[in-house]
Each structure stands twice: as C-alpha cells, then as structure tokens.
Amino acid sequence: GEGARAEAATERFDEVATRHLTWGLAPLVVGWALYALLHYPHASWYSWLLGSLADAIYLFGFIAMTPQLFINYKMKSVAHLPWRVLAYKAFNTFIDDAFALMVAMPTAHRVACLRDDLVFLVLLYQRRLYPVDRKRANEFGIAYERDEADVAPARGEGSAGDGAEEGPARGVEAEGEVPTRLLDLP
C-alpha cells in the first residue's frame, strides 16, 4: 500500500544521504589525520592514531544524524514525535551544551556538541516548515497512525467473533500513549 511505498522511499533516501555524506566527508577525515600528523606534535604513533580515530568518530556521528534531515526534505514532511519526547531531546541537548561549556574537554568534543545543536535546530525548523506525518515511522520505528490497508488482518486471522483481539501494527502505539521503547533511550 501507500505506507509500504513511503517506507521504501524513506529507506532509499536514507541510503542516498548516508552514502553521499560518507563518500563526501571520508576524505576530510583522512586529510585531517594527515594534516595533524604533519603539523601537530604527538607523543607517539599510538597517540596520533587515537586522536585521528576520535575525530573520525565525531565526523561519522554527524553522518549518522543528518540523513533524517535529508529524508524530511525529500518527503516534505516530518515524522510525528510526541511533545514529551521532543522536550526530552531538547533537555538532553541543553545538558550536553552546559557540560561542553563548563567541563574541561577537548575542543573536538565541544564542536561535536555544537554540531548536535545545529542538527536539532534544523530539525525544529523542518518541523515548523513541513507538515507532520503521523503515519510515517519516526527514528524509533514507531508510527502513530496506520493506513487502512495496513490494518486489514491477514487471511484467517482476527475475524470478528473469534475472540482474538487485534493488537497494534509493528511499531504503532495507541493514540496519546508514549511507547516504553522511548524510555530506553541512551
């Protein structure tokens, strides 16, 4: 149905964004590692390797966050996210910033915290710009409404009068209910 087509489009956009960002930004990681090797003092090769791998992790963390922005742009909609979850994300972002500014840490980690803020602000802008699609699964795989085609029981299942209660579709929760999976966020 329409839901399956939208999910396939989402997967395709996710693959395209991830592939383009990886191939576009991977040379930056290599270039920065070589630049750091030639221009910054290091205690050992091991020190240089650890620093370079940490920088790579920061960059690929950015690559892991941005496909959602690309998906929203291509689909001209955003997946529904309950206000409680959005408030949790905003609070988490604020706490990251507070610690990034108050605690002594490497500059790369501070920049990574600010990078998260930039992605979050773009997400909020997209949320204001595009309509919210409650049928589209969010990043946790939860859709808050179902297509009628997706609700129809399979042949021999859930017929009226057999006493079998029809449960929610994969990832679909009752209206207004916060799924317990969201409480298990890191």
Side-chain angles (χ1 to χ4, degrees):
E2 184 180 325
R5 246 180 285 132
E7 191 170 326
T10 300
E11 291 292 327
R12 188 176 68 250
F13 293 144
D14 188 30
E15 280 181 30
V16 168
T18 304
R19 184 179 46 231
H20 282 86
L21 283 169
T22 301
W23 285 106
L25 296 177
L28 285 176
V29 171
V30 173
W32 177 252
L34 293 175
Y35 179 83
L37 177 65
L38 298 174
H39 291 55
Y40 293 112
H42 297 282
S44 66
W45 286 100
Y46 183 70
S47 167
W48 169 79
L49 180 65
L50 280 180
S52 298
L53 289 176
D55 292 338
I57 288 171
Y58 290 135
L59 185 66
F60 288 111
F62 176 72
I63 290 173
M65 290 189 306
T66 51
Q68 185 61 48
L69 302 177
F70 182 72
I71 292 168
N72 293 345
Y73 170 73
K74 287 302 229 179
M75 297 188 84
K76 301 294 187 220
S77 68
V78 294
H80 175 67
L81 197 60
W83 279 106
R84 284 183 266 179
V85 176
L86 189 61
Y88 169 80
K89 286 179 175 262
F91 182 70
N92 191 27
T93 300
F94 172 74
I95 295 296
D96 283 349
D97 292 344
F99 277 98
L101 296 175
M102 292 188 305
V103 176
M105 62 179 60
T107 304
H109 187 75
R110 287 179 201 238
V111 169
C113 288
L114 297 176
R115 164 210 72 193
D116 296 350
D117 293 345
L118 178 67
V119 171
F120 185 67
L121 289 174
V122 171
L123 178 67
L124 290 177
Y125 176 72
Q126 285 182 335
R127 191 174 166 88
R128 180 136 174 99
L129 185 65
Y130 301 133
V132 174
D133 185 1
R134 295 179 65 88
K135 294 177 182 174
R136 195 170 118 195
N138 62 20
E139 72 234 45
F140 306 110
I142 299 168
Y144 290 87
E145 286 183 4
R146 297 184 263 189
D147 286 332
E148 292 303 318
D150 295 338
V151 175
R155 189 180 303 168
E157 292 181 8
S159 61
D162 68 355
E165 209 174 291
E166 184 180 323
R170 181 180 76 79
V172 178
E173 304 295 335
E175 178 67 33
E177 179 181 332
V178 176
T180 57
R181 288 178 288 219
L182 294 180
L183 301 176
D184 297 333
L185 293 174

